[in-house]
């Protein structure tokens, strides 16, 4: 078999968006990805189905995959013709033994490429508002390892480093901070020199702490600064007050679970992340189109004349239109049929297919939609009103009941099955146990029911998390299941949910401010 290829790829310092386009391409074509502890796991979601993942960086050293073992895995996989991506935090050649790995690959005659990445030593500082050079402060920079070799010595020319006027950035320096600070001072750097620690740079856990060189060691203990952290020495750190854009974002540091159905929440995810929040997207629902549903729909639409089509969810809209398109349906055949939508979000989904709803309810319940359709029927004076209602198999009967009592013909077609996605249970529990989650958003009653069902005996884990509901029906389901609703969005839309969260965060910040004023 032909020999494969190895890509040594820099994943960037943490923020998902800080990998290169080439890096993402490599991930997408990899057969096997060998990744480190500091790599953002979300990047792995771009891999193709069937790609194998090998994690080589657990902190407790017992589990660490020995460097030789890593090298063997890379060589063996490449030799069997596979595309291997060795994904490393930051830039692959800035510490972390990237150079050694590349040499070994070369020595074994394996084809390889290096894909550079944004190194934490520059990019991480940028997110803390610290420019690594600046005409007023530093015209050079040095990136230094603070990690001692086996004999405990740091192979550093302290003499020249202490005299250096440029910025000095230490990686892996927290464990040795006492020694580093002492050496810089004893070789002539002033104890008053400004310094900063930037921990978990470019992630939602980023934290910037400033002090001076003389206080650096004390500061690490006082502030409980832990790796991964950058230690920066030099006047540039004073700019972080002005330039620290990232930690100023309105949702910075907030963690939000999005219970989603299909891709539906991705808009919300993008918006939250733009505002600095961290999202965990979990599909609580497994949705499958019913067999032959396209043909069933075509048969119905061609064999009889409907006056209205009622659509009550984003998923119904997508599954309805996509299946018709797949069957080659000519949408001009719908001319004259009124489209009724249950709210702004559903209308938006409909308009993606080039159709504008004739009727829209402002409140997002089936009963409301039934009311407006009946009103329209009354106004328009149809002789034989007839409604097509394509929906989820678990959609409520409220529209059907309302039409029955008004003696209006309604044809319900279940488009898809809607089952609880137990496959996410481990991931969900892991997140709830390891992370401090601030909010959970619920965009429908089923997302609530299913989340609680998935949690089972562990349902109390979500008790203390603020619950954000998209509307009154969803809120009622949350209450019925024994939880309280902390926020309900004004209208049934993603933007409105986001506004509710922002409002709440603002309130929290103001609360904190009043507390400080009181205690002062
Ligand atoms: N190749 C990486 C560095 C690997 S060495 C790069 O180019 O960034 C690992 C050290 O890098 C950590 O101990 C820490 O000092 C630093 N580091 C990496 N990512 C970091 C981050 N997101 N925040 C703070 N420090 C980070």
């Amino acid at each position: 078999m032909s020999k494969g290829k190895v890509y040594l790829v820099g994943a960037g310092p943490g923020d998902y968006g800080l990998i290169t386009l080439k890096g993402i391409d490599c991930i997408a074509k990899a057969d096997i990805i060998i990744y480190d502890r500091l790599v953002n796991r979300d990047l792995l979601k771009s891999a193709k189905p069937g790609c194998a993942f090998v994690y080589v960086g657990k902190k407790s050293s017992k589990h660490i995959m020995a460097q030789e073992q890593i090298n063997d895995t890379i060589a063996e996989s490449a030799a069997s013709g596979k595309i291997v991506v060795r994904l490393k935090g930051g830039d692959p050649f800035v510490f972390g033994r990237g150079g050694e790995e590349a040499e070994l690959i070369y020595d074994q005659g394996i084809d390889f490429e290096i894909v550079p990445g944004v190194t934490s030593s520059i990019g991480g500082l940028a997110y803390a508002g610290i420019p690594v050079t600046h005409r007023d402060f530093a015209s050079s920079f040095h990136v230094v390892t603070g990690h001692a070799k086996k004999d405990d010595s740091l192979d550093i020319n302290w003499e020249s480093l202490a005299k250096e006027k440029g910025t000095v950035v230490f990686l892996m320096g927290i464990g040795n901070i006492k020694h580093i600070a002492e050496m810089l001072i004893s070789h002539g750097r002033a104890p008053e020199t400004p310094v900063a620690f930037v921990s978990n740079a470019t992630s939602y856990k980023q934290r910037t702490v400033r002090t001076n060189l003389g206080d650096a060691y004390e500061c690490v203990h006082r502030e409980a600064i832990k790796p991964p952290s950058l230690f920066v020495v030099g006047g540039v750190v004073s700019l972080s007050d002005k330039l620290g854009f990232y930690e100023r974002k309105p949702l910075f540091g907030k963690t939000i679970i999005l219970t989603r159905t299909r891709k539906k929440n991705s808009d919300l995810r993008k918006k939250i992340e733009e505002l600095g929040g961290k999202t965990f997207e979990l599909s609580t629902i497994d949705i499958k189109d019913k067999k032959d549903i396209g043909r069933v729909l075509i048969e119905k639409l061609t064999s009889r004349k409907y006056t209205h089509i009622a659509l009550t969810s984003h998923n119904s809209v997508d599954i309805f239109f996509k299946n018709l398109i797949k069957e080659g349906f000519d949408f001009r055949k719908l001319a004259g049929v009124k489209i009724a939508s249950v709210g702004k979000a559903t209308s938006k989904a409909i308009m993606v297919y080039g159709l504008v709803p004739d009727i829209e309810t402002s409140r997002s319940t089936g009963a409301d939609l039934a009311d407006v359709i009946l009103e329209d029927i009354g106004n328009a004076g149809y002789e034989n009103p007839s409604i097509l209602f394509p929906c989820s198999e678990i959609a409520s009967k409220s529209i059907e009941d309302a039409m029955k009592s008004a003696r209006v013909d309604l044809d319900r077609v279940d488009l898809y099955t809607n089952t609880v996605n137990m496959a996410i249970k481990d991931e969900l529990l892991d997140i709830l146990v390891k992370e401090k989650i601030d909010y959970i958003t619920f965009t429908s009653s089923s997302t609530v029911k299913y989340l609680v069902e998935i949690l089972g005996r562990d349902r109390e884990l979500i008790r203390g998390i603020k619950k954000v509901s998209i509307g009154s029906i969803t809120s009622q389901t949350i209450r019925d299941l024994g939880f309280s609703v902390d926020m309900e969005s004004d209208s049934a839309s993603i933007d409105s949910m986001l506004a509710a969260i922002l409002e709440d965060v603002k309130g929290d910040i103001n609360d904190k401010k009043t507390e400080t004023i009181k205690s002062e």
Side-chain angles (χ1 to χ4, degrees):
M1 210 187 263
S2 72
K3 277 203 171 177
K5 182 159 181 174
V6 180
Y7 293 90
L8 203 54
V9 178
D15 182 344
Y16 178 86
L18 292 180
I19 190 171
T20 62
L21 291 174
K22 190 158 186 182
I24 281 285
D25 279 349
C26 291
I27 290 175
K29 67 183 171 195
D31 298 307
I32 172 167
I33 299 177
I34 303 167
Y35 65 101
D36 280 347
R37 185 163 58 92
L38 292 174
V39 166
N40 182 339
R41 308 290 164 92
D42 288 345
L43 291 168
L44 304 177
K45 292 186 182 151
S46 300
K48 66 184 182 191
C51 173
F53 300 107
V54 183
Y55 174 56
V56 292
K58 234 185 194 158
K59 222 167 152 196
S60 56
S61 53
K62 232 182 18 190
H63 297 284
I64 249 179
M65 195 172 186
Q67 190 67 42
E68 297 81 66
Q69 234 177 319
I70 299 178
N71 297 338
D72 287 351
T73 311
I74 295 176
E76 277 163 26
S77 309
S80 65
K82 287 188 174 135
I83 297 201
V84 184
V85 165
R86 174 70 178 105
L87 194 58
K88 295 172 85 77
D91 180 89
F93 279 175
V94 178
F95 305 125
R97 303 200 200 185
E100 290 162 54
E101 286 182 21
E103 259 185 289
L104 279 161
I105 297 165
Y106 170 81
D107 289 344
Q108 284 166 328
I110 299 165
D111 193 13
F112 71 95
E113 272 187 51
I114 313 294
V115 182
V118 174
T119 175
S120 64
S121 54
I122 299 176
L125 295 188
Y127 266 43
I130 303 173
V132 77
T133 70
H134 188 288
R135 282 205 301 175
D136 294 342
F137 299 102
S139 47
S140 71
F141 60 88
H142 286 244
V143 179
V144 185
T145 173
H147 189 67
K149 289 204 287 202
K150 278 205 188 85
D151 61 1
D152 260 4
S153 70
L154 281 175
D155 189 14
I156 291 167
N157 184 345
W158 293 109
E159 192 74 40
S160 62
L161 204 58
K163 289 206 184 88
E164 180 52 53
K165 288 197 186 113
T167 307
V168 186
V169 189
F170 287 89
L171 272 61
M172 300 173 279
I174 299 306
N176 269 324
I177 191 68
K178 189 163 193 254
H179 182 64
I180 292 170
E182 275 172 9
M183 292 308 265
L184 287 174
I185 292 172
S186 67
H187 285 84
R189 265 267 161 129
E192 297 75 38
T193 311
V195 301
F197 295 96
V198 186
S199 311
N200 294 301
T202 80
S203 84
Y204 65 105
K205 289 181 178 159
Q206 176 173 309
R207 182 172 167 225
T208 308
V209 178
R210 277 172 49 190
T211 180
N212 62 44
L213 189 55
D215 178 56
Y217 171 65
E218 290 288 310
C219 179
V220 165
H221 291 275
R222 191 174 63 239
E223 300 284 337
I225 291 165
K226 299 267 165 350
S229 293
L230 303 153
F231 176 52
V232 205
V233 182
V236 286
V237 304
S238 63
L239 291 162
S240 71
D241 279 347
K242 275 198 224 159
L243 306 186
F245 71 98
Y246 189 61
E247 288 170 51
R248 279 199 296 262
K249 287 187 173 224
L251 292 182
F252 171 74
K254 297 290 172 208
T255 44
I256 304 169
I257 290 183
L258 307 177
T259 55
R260 67 168 198 173
T261 58
R262 290 198 162 185
K263 285 219 176 78
K264 207 171 145 184
N265 267 334
S266 283
D267 260 3
L268 185 56
R269 179 176 74 88
K270 278 191 212 128
K271 286 180 179 167
I272 290 174
E273 299 204 334
E274 177 67 34
L275 293 167
K278 164 73 183 172
T279 58
F280 299 90
E281 265 187 311
L282 292 165
S283 306
T284 50
I285 299 175
D286 195 15
I287 283 170
K288 284 200 185 74
D289 297 11
K290 289 233 173 173
K291 217 171 146 243
D292 279 338
I293 191 66
R295 283 220 319 256
V296 171
L297 288 171
I298 301 251
E299 212 177 284
K300 290 203 175 276
L301 287 166
T302 45
S303 65
R304 51 186 292 193
K305 188 88 194 111
Y306 297 101
T307 51
H308 296 78
I309 298 175
L311 291 160
T312 52
S313 79
H314 197 302
N315 286 321
S316 302
V317 171
D318 278 343
I319 294 170
F320 177 71
F321 287 112
K322 281 199 176 124
N323 278 290
L324 286 176
I325 291 169
K326 214 160 68 193
E327 295 292 327
F329 182 72
D330 184 343
F331 280 87
R332 285 174 298 186
K333 289 188 185 141
L334 291 185
V337 184
K338 285 194 174 158
I339 296 179
S341 145
V342 84
K344 268 211 185 74
T346 306
S347 300
K348 223 169 132 188
I350 294 170
M351 287 193 274
V352 168
Y353 298 93
L355 297 167
V356 182
D358 305 86
I359 298 169
E360 181 189 287
T361 46
S362 51
R363 306 236 316 273
S364 60
T365 71
D368 289 315
L369 189 65
D371 283 348
V372 283
I373 294 176
L374 287 172
E375 197 185 311
D376 182 68
I377 289 172
N379 291 341
Y382 290 107
E383 260 177 40
N384 291 311
S386 161
I387 298 158
L388 177 66
F389 179 37
C391 58
S392 154
E393 65 171 3
I394 58 160
S396 92
K397 291 216 169 353
S398 54
I399 297 191
E400 278 161 282
D401 292 345
M403 293 304 155
K404 208 179 258 165
S405 38
R407 293 171 195 274
V408 170
D409 173 56
L410 180 133
D411 197 2
R412 170 174 173 146
V413 182
D414 292 350
L415 297 172
Y416 56 97
T417 59
N418 200 316
T419 50
V420 53
N421 187 11
M422 290 309 277
I424 61 154
K425 179 159 184 161
D426 288 348
E427 191 187 350
L428 173 66
L429 289 178
D430 203 47
I431 292 168
L432 289 172
V433 171
K434 286 200 191 131
E435 305 278 346
K436 195 200 137 300
I437 301 294
D438 297 302
Y439 301 97
I440 307 186
T441 63
F442 295 106
T443 46
S444 68
S445 281
S446 9
T447 57
V448 187
K449 279 188 214 142
Y450 289 175
L451 187 83
V452 172
E453 192 176 331
I454 293 167
L455 282 169
R457 282 183 304 158
D458 294 308
R459 52 181 275 159
E460 287 306 311
L461 286 174
I462 59 165
R463 174 79 55 198
I465 303 174
K466 287 185 175 170
K467 295 169 196 69
V468 191
S469 147
I470 197 162
S472 57
I473 303 257
T474 305
S475 298
Q476 194 50 52
T477 310
I478 297 176
R479 287 190 204 101
D480 290 349
L481 287 166
F483 294 99
S484 54
V485 179
D486 300 273
M487 284 163 274
E488 184 181 295
S489 70
D490 287 340
S491 68
S493 75
I494 296 293
D495 283 331
S496 177
M497 281 185 104
L498 188 60
I501 296 175
L502 277 167
E503 196 58 34
D504 188 66
V505 171
K506 249 198 245 155
D508 274 1
I509 292 172
N510 289 339
D511 284 353
K512 275 200 197 110
K513 276 193 193 142
T514 352
E515 267 167 40
T516 2
I517 292 167
K518 268 189 206 149
S519 64
E520 267 167 11

